[in-house]
Amino acid sequence: MNRRFIPRSYQFGPYIQLFLILMLSSFCHTLRGQVDVLRVNWPQFIAKQDLHWNEVPKEWKEAPFVGNGLMGSMLFQTAPNQLTIQIGRQDVQDHRMQSGKEATDRVLPDQSRLPIGYFTLNTVGEIKACDLRLNLWDAEISGTLSTDRGEIDLTALVHSDANLLLVEARAGQGEEAFTYEWHPEEAFCPRVKGKRAGGKSYMDAYSPSPLPIQEMSGDVNLTVQSLLSDGQTATAWIVRERANTKTLYASVGHSFPGATARDEALAVVEALSNKSLEELQKTHRVWWHAFYPKSFVSLPDQRMQSFFWIQHYKMACATKGGSSLADNQGPWLQPTGWPALWWNLNVQLAYSHMLPANHEALSVGLLNTLVKHQDNLVKNVPEHMRADSMAINTVSGQDLLSPMGDPNDPKQKPLATGNFTWAMHNCYMQYRYTMDEDMLRDKIYPLLTKAINYYRHFMIEGEDGRIHLPITNSPEYANVGDCNYDLSLLQWGCQALIDSAQTLGIDDPLVPVWQDILERLVDYPQNETGYMIGAGKSYDDSHRHYSHLLMFYPLAILDLDNPEIRALAKQSLLHWQSKPERLAGYSYTGSSSMFSLLGDGEMAEQRMQDFFADKILPNTFYAEGSPVIETPPAAARSIEDMLIQSWGDTIRVFPSIPLKWQELAFADLRTEGAFLVSASRKGGKTSFIAIKSLAGAPCRIQTSIVGKLEVFGVDAGQVKQLGDGLVELDLKKGEQVILANASYARKVGIHTIQEVPSEFYADWKWGKLEDTSSVKK
């Protein structure tokens, strides 16, 4: 610590000296680690974000939900005396393309997610009321069902370390005779059952799998579903009874190739069904209690704050373990037209908020899945491209089979050729947020190279000497040459590869090729309204996707410090939003993030409030015709973008805060360069920022601190103040610095992050509550 901060009174008497030594020791202790900067009672804080029900949920969009990254369940009433307990597993899908036993190139329905079945808790009387809570801290549903005959107390969870659904119900007088009942469902594509995409002829071409078979193994019930081409799904379950308590233990297995799912599900139930709820809760909660403290965010808007933390929980339910990808449904499959992975926006948005939230262990599942199935990514491209290229079409199953064509083939309908490269942007951010060079070298660099090679096969050199693209698809809008969706991704990908080769010290012969592409790539088509869809195609009709603005967000490759480019980006954003007719939930969240990149906190916050008012469901899920998972996590990312950004070469703290948010706090949010950043805002001003380096990378930070800075924790020579709150830091791996507003530092002398008061929507509870009179802005 710099000696100038040691008070002169240190010279006085031994008692004063002792007092000051103790105070100084305490202060230094505060600076040494993140634990001392953050002061939060985690169980109490997370409890404030819980979802509540005093009105019985009647459908999935109102229901409490649990999951463990593979299996999931929702609970809601479907008949007067029935509570449905859904059971789903994220990797249960058909494998008709992958098996090679059928000549098909139809991703849907032939690689579709498949339903499994559901349980019902059959009450004696009619269900009239409830008092339920989704306890986020423990990842459990608990509470009471009230019928006209009595009450049932219940607890439900999907175990964090085992594919086990556990529901324990204890009956009061009058409900002792309640039962559980299993309802197996046919493994039939939900899209076909809903008569979507082609009507009767489409259904006629779809052959169903055999009906499921029910059997017993000792006292364990089994339903075994063989799939038409290959593979198996099996559900095992048993009910243990004691006194008036009945506990359901259930597990789902899935296998491809082969038929081992039965043994998998049976083994889980046999191993765990003799353990009590209390025993299983103890082991279940260990993971969840370690999960939440990875980062901290406290907002003055309780509705937004609780929503933010619920998305952490939801995506952990969908991604923990990384053994499957969070598709459009997550582990909670519903009747849907979207029973698969969508790669023209959905996957990328679903995985967008976990890295800034310091949950890199959850988001890495996307990269690992691409690596695992890279052979199928090669198979997706035409045969003459397979030596050096990879791609993925718009829809796939968990195995990533999704054939693409050659845009230069006149017989090929236009393709969304940028999907795989966009997914690789998520993966490259996995490197940027961790600075893991082994990951970059062994996984990201080879895959990104092949994504860009795919473009090289159909790029066109025009008569103007510029590099152009043939007609491709701007997702859900138009087929157009020089499509901005693809131009953005091609530009980003070439620059990322050049930077990666330099970082890794690779003398790659393709570097001059990528440089040439960057130098000669045609400019983004634009007109008086801003960026166009592509050459000759302006943005004329309302459109939910922001594909034509990908260079603005999330790629963030525009130089927004350039006044002309900034004005063009803003004009493009305003023009897109000026046509609201077909804007969707992610149109709101995407526009919020773009306003944040422009530093417009008022509009960034307003678009989030519009999203909550118009689009979000009571349990924070979302639907566009059918349920889809990507938009709420994208909204969580938009909240993060208001708090911290790290695009380009600069970390920006509180870059886009509305004036009414006078107090804010966050801790251990992660940025590019692998920094953990904590910050406090009081009275509308940034009071201090703590930055910890995890990799020793260069650090440039726009502090948002007005006036003189005080520096704690490192030598003064490691800090270069450039003016207007811009600072360059030379931090070694593991070092932490605190930058404080000088008047705050002298006045307070200690730096802590803690919960801020709720000023807006202070009584808000997600879930379903009959009495909402206390919920106010």
Side-chain angles (χ1 to χ4, degrees):
M1 182 178 296
N2 195 311
R3 288 192 179 89
R4 65 186 178 188
F5 294 111
I6 300 176
R8 294 180 181 176
S9 56
Y10 185 79
Q11 306 167 39
F12 295 79
Y15 295 104
I16 295 177
Q17 289 184 20
L18 178 60
F19 172 78
L20 290 173
I21 289 171
L22 291 173
M23 290 294 293
L24 184 60
S25 175
S26 175
F27 184 45
C28 291
H29 179 65
T30 301
L31 297 177
R32 274 200 295 265
Q34 298 291 46
V35 173
D36 296 313
V37 172
L38 178 61
R39 294 184 180 178
V40 176
N41 183 317
W42 280 102
Q44 290 183 11
F45 176 75
I46 296 298
K48 295 178 183 179
Q49 326 310 328
D50 288 351
L51 297 88
H52 295 258
W53 290 258
N54 61 19
E55 185 176 341
V56 181
K58 299 293 180 64
E59 52 185 331
W60 68 269
K61 64 183 66 174
E62 303 170 346
F65 55 97
V66 287
N68 71 349
L70 189 62
M71 278 179 54
S73 180
M74 284 183 161
L75 278 61
F76 52 93
Q77 183 184 8
T78 50
N81 69 331
Q82 283 189 342
L83 181 73
T84 289
I85 305 166
Q86 290 189 325
I87 189 166
R89 178 165 156 154
Q90 203 157 234
D91 62 347
V92 172
Q93 68 161 75
D94 228 326
H95 301 276
R96 302 184 189 201
M97 288 177 63
Q98 192 176 8
S99 70
K101 296 181 180 180
E102 296 188 30
T104 175
D105 60 359
R106 304 178 308 177
V107 175
L108 287 178
D110 294 337
Q111 297 290 89
S112 171
R113 280 283 298 276
L114 297 172
I116 298 166
Y118 59 94
F119 294 92
T120 54
L121 191 158
N122 302 318
T123 58
V124 177
E126 292 188 10
I127 300 172
K128 297 297 186 181
C130 72
D131 181 9
L132 297 175
R133 181 172 190 155
L134 176 47
N135 179 331
L136 299 177
W137 179 247
D138 293 334
E140 298 169 10
I141 302 165
S142 61
T144 302
L145 288 178
S146 299
T147 76
D148 56 10
R149 297 288 296 275
E151 291 186 342
I152 298 174
D153 294 332
L154 63 85
T155 300
L157 60 88
V158 175
H159 200 280
S160 62
D161 289 333
N163 289 323
L164 178 76
L165 168 66
L166 185 150
V167 181
E168 180 161 295
R170 184 175 67 255
Q173 186 175 0
E175 280 291 347
E176 297 93 338
F178 83 89
T179 61
Y180 295 103
E181 183 179 359
W182 168 239
H183 306 264
E185 292 184 277
E186 184 182 6
F188 199 95
C189 172
R191 189 179 180 97
V192 174
K193 185 166 284 190
K195 299 181 180 179
R196 296 186 59 114
K200 189 174 186 299
S201 61
Y202 188 76
M203 293 185 69
D204 288 345
Y206 179 75
S207 301
S209 290
L211 292 174
I213 297 172
Q214 300 192 59
E215 59 180 270
M216 297 290 294
S217 176
D219 56 356
V220 178
N221 303 274
L222 281 160
T223 296
V224 180
Q225 172 71 70
S226 297
L227 301 181
L228 180 66
S229 55
D230 197 359
Q232 183 185 78
T233 303
T235 304
W237 62 279
I238 192 171
V239 176
R240 302 290 191 194
E241 298 187 34
R242 66 180 190 280
N244 293 331
T245 299
K246 299 173 186 178
T247 307
L248 168 68
Y249 301 82
S251 183
V252 176
H254 182 71
S255 57
F256 175 84
T260 59
R262 178 188 182 278
D263 295 340
E264 177 190 350
L266 182 62
V268 172
V269 172
E270 289 179 337
L272 299 179
S273 60
N274 288 315
K275 293 183 179 294
S276 68
L277 169 64
E278 292 75 19
E279 288 179 283
L280 291 170
Q281 282 176 319
K282 184 176 181 180
T283 53
H284 164 71
R285 292 172 179 175
V286 170
W287 187 88
W288 286 100
H289 292 178
F291 165 73
Y292 290 105
K294 291 279 287 182
S295 61
F296 174 75
V297 168
S298 182
L299 307 175
D301 183 324
Q302 177 58 28
R303 179 169 71 166
M304 195 176 296
Q305 176 176 271
S306 57
F307 172 88
F308 181 76
W309 284 99
I310 293 165
Q311 302 327 298
H312 283 37
Y313 167 79
K314 184 189 298 177
M315 288 309 294
C317 287
T319 60
K320 177 190 175 292
S323 59
S324 66
L325 284 180
D327 64 7
N328 279 21
Q329 302 292 300
W332 309 283
L333 180 66
Q334 307 297 324
T336 180
W338 324 118
L341 291 148
W342 255 254
W343 292 93
N344 61 354
L345 174 143
N346 303 66
V347 171
Q348 293 89 337
L349 265 59
Y351 280 80
S352 63
H353 96 279
M354 290 177 284
L355 279 169
N358 198 24
H359 290 298
E360 75 286 354
L362 298 183
S363 61
V364 76
L366 174 57
L367 172 60
N368 290 341
T369 299
L370 295 175
V371 172
K372 177 181 177 181
H373 296 295
Q374 59 184 300
D375 290 347
N376 287 342
L377 293 170
V378 171
K379 291 177 184 176
N380 288 340
V381 302
E383 189 169 354
H384 68 279
M385 300 181 181
R386 291 177 182 171
D388 64 359
S389 301
M390 294 178 178
I392 195 164
N393 214 326
T394 299
V395 183
S396 84
Q398 292 285 339
D399 47 54
L400 309 190
L401 278 173
S402 186
M404 292 287 286
D406 182 349
N408 280 327
D409 183 349
K411 299 179 182 179
Q412 173 68 57
K413 68 179 182 179
L415 303 161
T417 48
N419 299 335
F420 179 48
T421 307
W422 190 357
M424 287 308 303
H425 175 262
N426 286 65
C427 297
Y428 185 72
M429 289 299 104
Q430 190 78 32
Y431 157 68
R432 288 290 300 151
Y433 278 74
T434 62
M435 301 304 286
D436 183 339
E437 291 189 9
D438 290 337
M439 176 193 298
L440 180 65
R441 177 184 297 103
D442 300 336
K443 297 180 178 180
I444 297 169
Y445 189 81
L447 266 62
L448 183 55
T449 298
K450 293 185 177 182
I452 298 304
N453 280 345
Y454 177 60
Y455 277 108
R456 292 177 56 224
H457 281 284
F458 54 81
M459 294 186 311
I460 301 169
E461 183 163 343
E463 294 180 358
D464 58 359
R466 307 293 295 275
I467 293 173
H468 295 262
L469 294 176
I471 294 175
T472 59
N473 178 253
S474 184
E476 298 191 2
Y477 195 93
N479 303 319
V480 62
D482 289 338
C483 172
N484 271 333
Y485 176 66
D486 287 296
L487 291 176
S488 301
L489 289 161
L490 180 55
Q491 179 184 349
W492 168 80
C494 287
Q495 187 62 60
L497 284 169
I498 292 170
D499 293 344
S500 298
Q502 182 176 1
T503 296
L504 298 172
I506 297 174
D507 185 15
D508 196 320
L510 288 175
V511 168
V513 175
W514 300 325
Q515 290 172 331
D516 180 60
I517 293 172
L518 290 179
E519 291 169 3
R520 296 198 296 130
L521 189 64
V522 65
D523 295 335
Y524 300 126
Q526 57 185 270
N527 62 12
E528 69 281 358
T529 66
Y531 291 111
M532 302 166 67
I533 302 299
K537 184 63 177 178
S538 60
Y539 174 72
D540 297 322
D541 303 314
S542 183
H543 177 42
R544 61 183 181 170
H545 274 248
Y546 46 91
S547 314
H548 66 300
L549 300 180
L550 223 60
M551 74 295 281
F552 186 0
Y553 184 84
L555 301 183
I557 54 177
L558 296 179
D559 180 8
L560 296 180
D561 292 329
N562 181 312
E564 291 184 6
I565 295 177
R566 184 182 183 85
L568 179 61
K570 184 174 182 179
Q571 173 62 24
S572 304
L573 169 58
L574 294 175
H575 183 60
W576 172 43
Q577 293 289 292
S578 72
K579 301 177 183 294
E581 298 82 14
R582 296 191 63 189
L583 296 183
Y586 55 73
S587 311
Y588 289 61
T589 65
S591 64
S592 175
S593 288
M594 291 180 201
F595 281 117
S596 283
L597 263 65
L598 293 172
D600 189 342
E602 304 304 321
M603 282 302 300
E605 191 258 353
Q606 183 59 56
R607 294 312 279 155
M608 291 301 299
Q609 299 297 353
D610 294 340
F611 169 69
F612 289 137
D614 296 344
K615 298 295 183 181
I616 201 65
L617 297 171
N619 59 358
T620 80
F621 275 74
Y622 173 76
E624 289 184 34
S626 299
V628 281
I629 199 174
E630 80 293 316
T631 297
R637 176 57 187 260
S638 296
I639 294 169
E640 292 166 343
D641 287 335
M642 298 170 72
L643 302 176
I644 192 165
Q645 300 167 20
S646 57
W647 48 275
D649 64 350
T650 304
I651 298 168
R652 300 159 183 85
V653 178
F654 296 136
S656 182
I657 305 301
L659 290 175
K660 65 182 181 181
W661 286 7
Q662 292 290 292
E663 295 200 7
L664 288 168
F666 66 78
D668 292 346
L669 293 185
R670 186 181 281 253
T671 71
E672 292 188 48
F675 298 97
L676 295 182
V677 182
S678 306
S680 173
R681 177 179 171 93
K682 294 183 180 296
K685 297 180 180 179
T686 302
S687 50
F688 74 90
I689 301 168
I691 309 104
K692 181 175 183 179
S693 175
L694 302 180
C699 183
R700 182 182 175 98
I701 183 165
Q702 183 67 54
T703 67
S704 69
I705 295 176
V706 178
K708 184 180 178 182
L709 287 178
E710 300 284 13
V711 179
F712 303 91
V714 298
D715 293 335
Q718 294 176 253
V719 181
K720 184 178 181 181
Q721 299 187 37
L722 304 178
D724 295 325
L726 186 62
V727 177
E728 286 185 356
L729 300 170
D730 178 17
L731 296 179
K732 307 295 188 295
K733 181 178 179 179
E735 281 189 331
Q736 175 181 275
V737 63
I738 291 181
L739 308 174
N741 174 282
S743 61
Y744 174 85
R746 286 192 292 270
K747 179 180 178 181
V748 179
I750 194 167
H751 308 90
T752 61
I753 299 292
Q754 55 194 4
E755 182 181 0
V756 303
S758 295
E759 299 183 43
F760 309 99
Y761 298 97
D763 299 317
W764 185 270
K765 301 291 183 187
W766 293 97
K768 191 175 183 184
L769 298 173
E770 292 176 340
D771 180 11
T772 58
S773 60
S774 64
V775 179
K776 298 178 181 179
K777 289 187 178 181

